[in-house]
Amino acid sequence: LSELAAALGEQDCRQLMVGETITLSGLAALSPARQVNALRSWLHLGGFEQPTRGSLNELRRQIAGDGNVVLETDQVVIRGYDGSLHACRLHERYVLTSVTWQGQEELELPGGRLLARVVVGEGVARSPLLVRYRQAGDCIRLAGNRPRLALSRLFQARRVPPWRRDEMPVLAGPTGELVAVAGLNDAGVTAAAHVVGPDEQGHVFSWVPDQGC
């Protein structure tokens, strides 16, 4: 790969990246050679090993199709979702059991870090809370005058990639009711019944995942 081609690939890549993803429509507009170089640069910037030329050609073929992209190599999975490509490392399914949040600012979990930030008039005050991954049938009430919302629908509305949904932490009270969900934005979401008063201090939660799929 020539220095000029590599430089152009990095330029294309940076123009097409949104966060850690790269847009499918932008890739589709490039010539085949520029697609390959932009993909190589994108994976390099993400810290992934380079796939074979054959894998990149298969990825190009899928991009030219219906956008339903799934490519798996020995170390990385590349998926298309919501108009972009996502890359993450292969790993065995994370297991999270018997973890309790007791007010700490950072909690190391299988698959990432749960961060708690103190704010006024937002979030939840109570602790300890049980930390777990979502379970079938999980629901949360985001406003007192609205019905409970299934987490599956909440994740869809917030455009959380499907492969991330089962490994995003939720926080539950002693009877199992959901109190908060981390990972949907910088502050997560808190169940209406557990939000602190306007002048009270609460905790909001964010989630920093590993690069695993």
Side-chain angles (χ1 to χ4, degrees), residues 84 127 144 161 163 210:
S84 297
S127 65
W163 59 92
D210 294 339

Tab-separated table of all heavy atoms in Angstrom, residues 84 127 144 161 163 210:
chain	number	residue	atom	x	y	z
A	84	SER	N	-24.525	2.440	9.707
A	84	SER	CA	-23.085	2.519	9.960
A	84	SER	C	-22.503	1.134	10.186
A	84	SER	O	-23.223	0.183	10.510
A	84	SER	CB	-22.787	3.396	11.188
A	84	SER	OG	-23.195	4.732	10.978
A	127	SER	N	-28.759	3.732	47.826
A	127	SER	CA	-27.786	2.670	47.639
A	127	SER	C	-27.841	1.817	48.921
A	127	SER	O	-28.287	2.306	49.963
A	127	SER	CB	-26.375	3.222	47.421
A	127	SER	OG	-25.907	3.896	48.566
A	144	GLY	N	-44.184	9.303	35.914
A	144	GLY	CA	-45.209	8.792	36.816
A	144	GLY	C	-46.561	8.604	36.172
A	144	GLY	O	-47.358	7.770	36.613
A	161	PRO	N	-27.289	-0.862	19.464
A	161	PRO	CA	-27.087	-2.046	18.623
A	161	PRO	C	-27.537	-3.320	19.340
A	161	PRO	O	-27.284	-3.476	20.540
A	161	PRO	CB	-25.573	-2.050	18.366
A	161	PRO	CG	-25.168	-0.616	18.497
A	161	PRO	CD	-26.055	-0.058	19.583
A	163	TRP	N	-26.491	-6.334	19.555
A	163	TRP	CA	-25.491	-7.152	20.235
A	163	TRP	C	-24.978	-6.508	21.513
A	163	TRP	O	-24.288	-7.147	22.299
A	163	TRP	CB	-24.328	-7.457	19.296
A	163	TRP	CG	-23.612	-6.259	18.771
A	163	TRP	CD1	-22.512	-5.651	19.316
A	163	TRP	CD2	-23.944	-5.500	17.605
A	163	TRP	NE1	-22.142	-4.569	18.565
A	163	TRP	CE2	-22.985	-4.449	17.493
A	163	TRP	CE3	-24.935	-5.602	16.634
A	163	TRP	CZ2	-23.020	-3.518	16.466
A	163	TRP	CZ3	-24.958	-4.676	15.611
A	163	TRP	CH2	-24.013	-3.651	15.524
A	210	ASP	N	-16.102	-2.415	27.019
A	210	ASP	CA	-14.917	-2.899	26.313
A	210	ASP	C	-15.253	-2.952	24.823
A	210	ASP	O	-16.402	-2.746	24.416
A	210	ASP	CB	-14.528	-4.301	26.810
A	210	ASP	CG	-14.071	-4.290	28.260
A	210	ASP	OD1	-13.681	-3.219	28.751
A	210	ASP	OD2	-14.125	-5.357	28.897
